[in-house]
Amino acid sequence: MAAHVRCPICLNMVDWARAEIVAMNADGGTEPLVRREGEDDLAWNQRTLNAYRLCESGAGEPHVLPGRYGDFGEPLVIGVVGESAAGKSHLLAAMLGMLTDVDRMSQLGLVVGGLDLKRHQTYLRDVVRPFLDQGKGIDGTPAGPPEFTDALWIHSSRMGRNFAVAFFDVSGEWLANHDAQVPFLGAASALVFVVDPTRIRGLTGSSGSVTGDPSFDVVLNKIAHLRGFEGEEFMPLPAAVVVGKSDLLRHHEVLVERWFRDTSPEEELDLRTVEAESEDAYAFLSSRGARGWLAPFARCTPSTLHFASSTGHGAVKEEGVQRSPLGGFTPRRTLKPLLALFAMCGVLDPTDLGQEAVG
Ligand SMILES: Nc1nc2c(ncn2[C@@H]2O[C@H](COP(=O)(O)OP(=O)(O)OP(=O)(O)O)[C@@H](O)[C@H]2O)c(=O)[nH]1
Ligand SMILES: [Mg+2]
Ligand SMILES: [Zn+2]
């Protein structure tokens, strides 16, 4: 158990063992849970199945953290960054959907479960399964202060320990706004930066920018300020930069196409290709007038570059709802960037990435 845990909502340090344990009641309020005299583990575990701990150090309403958030040492906090409609929510849903594949996880020596069981089940039921099973697109994320999107515990048999991992998916509009509060950036252990090829001039159409994604700059500057890295060339923050929506690129682009030829599940678990993929994605972006999108790769260390498609093909809009025209979406290469981040954060063996994979 970590002695103190940083609350990702307000950045205050929470004395974990002393933080109040509560249950949520039906109207969203909290009720204290106290272990009864002589209550055995099984009965207590049953009562605390959906328990939370409170961060009460901030002003106003206490922040509700998953009950076991601080039970496994310092939690990992992973955020997804990119401008509005870059494809962050689809990418995160595709990534987290892959983590429910017990067989693939066991090949990596990982066991994955919900840390906040209620939130995890709700996210899978309302977002991930309709997306992966029924081809239902995901709505834009409302602009507002970041909340937990999902929280997992991960047992890594190769590293011989457990991790609490929290994911934050924030609206691109909010991220790109200098004045909007994004406190979890101060606690972030790793970030996924989503490059939207449709915003790069000349890649999928004649419109678009040549200067990069404004949300990348805002986020990198905020982190530098929050953590005292201003004036330093590199920031010690693992980052995976993902060229998303690659289904729109691959058929015309040699550097992209080669990564989509082998779609076997085994290939996606193999981190030895990350170095070569990073080189190709770097060459691709820098040769196509998209150097601006390489900012996270240049600033964050270690960092990797990837190609991925969360949907496999474009969605169509029917009666205001985005749907797959083929009945279902087929994410491609969405797991590998997350596994690369896991390796950079020590959930998987960092040496799996190879010596020079990370910049
Ligand atoms: N062709 C294609 N379209 C995609 C892909 N991923 C997402 N999209 C489309 O991109 C649009 C935006 O996706 P979102 O995941 O909602 O984008 P976001 O970055 O979460 O946007 P905000 O929540 O507004 O910040 C949707 O219309 C998706 O259908 C992909 O891999 N390929
Ligand atoms: Mg979103
Ligand atoms: Zn707090």
Side-chain angles (χ1 to χ4, degrees), residues 1 97 106-107 162 201 272 303:
M1 186 187 280
S106 77
Q107 289 178 46
N162 296 311
R201 190 187 298 167
R272 289 170 303 180
S303 53

Side-chain angles (χ1 to χ4, degrees), residues 71-96:
D71 285 4
F72 308 113
E74 198 181 325
L76 290 178
V77 177
I78 298 181
V80 190
V81 179
E83 62 191 307
S84 178
K88 301 179 293 298
S89 298
H90 285 79
L91 180 63
L92 187 62
M95 284 173 163
L96 296 187

Side-chain angles (χ1 to χ4, degrees), residues 2-138:
H4 287 86
V5 172
R6 197 172 288 285
C7 168
I9 309 295
C10 70
L11 296 184
N12 280 314
M13 290 303 267
V14 180
D15 183 343
W16 193 248
R18 293 199 190 164
E20 187 173 3
I21 302 175
V22 297
M24 285 282 202
N25 53 32
D27 53 14
T30 56
E31 284 166 19
L33 279 177
V34 181
R35 197 163 182 160
R36 296 182 188 119
E37 190 77 24
E39 186 173 29
D40 71 8
D41 281 351
L42 196 60
W44 173 240
N45 289 347
Q46 164 64 23
R47 284 209 302 132
T48 53
L49 196 62
N50 286 315
Y52 296 84
R53 284 197 197 229
L54 296 182
C55 159
E56 295 181 281
S57 34
E61 287 286 298
H63 303 132
V64 180
L65 305 176
R68 306 197 65 196
Y69 188 62
D71 285 4
F72 308 113
E74 198 181 325
L76 290 178
V77 177
I78 298 181
V80 190
V81 179
E83 62 191 307
S84 178
K88 301 179 293 298
S89 298
H90 285 79
L91 180 63
L92 187 62
M95 284 173 163
L96 296 187
M98 301 290 167
L99 294 189
T100 63
D101 185 331
V102 176
D103 180 46
R104 279 213 241 179
M105 291 306 111
S106 77
Q107 289 178 46
L108 296 162
L110 301 180
V111 185
V112 180
L115 190 69
D116 176 343
L117 280 177
K118 215 165 170 178
R119 188 179 293 270
H120 182 58
Q121 296 305 324
T122 309
Y123 181 63
L124 290 182
R125 186 194 62 211
D126 296 349
V127 180
V128 177
R129 293 214 179 93
F131 168 56
L132 292 178
D133 297 347
Q134 293 138 35
K136 186 176 172 303
I138 300 165

Side-chain angles (χ1 to χ4, degrees), residues 82-91 138-141 169-173 244-248 308-315 322:
E83 62 191 307
S84 178
K88 301 179 293 298
S89 298
H90 285 79
L91 180 63
I138 300 165
D139 292 338
T141 311
D169 175 25
V170 187
S171 114
E173 187 190 328
K245 305 185 187 177
S246 284
D247 52 286
L248 301 174
S309 170
S310 311
T311 55
H313 49 263
Q322 298 211 47

Side-chain angles (χ1 to χ4, degrees), residues 255-284:
L255 286 171
V256 185
E257 179 61 35
R258 66 178 279 215
W259 295 103
F260 290 87
R261 263 183 235 137
D262 181 357
T263 55
S264 65
E266 291 71 34
E267 201 288 328
E268 208 156 0
L269 301 183
D270 183 359
L271 291 180
R272 289 170 303 180
T273 61
V274 168
E275 183 178 358
E277 187 178 2
S278 291
E279 281 170 9
D280 277 2
Y282 187 93
F284 175 70

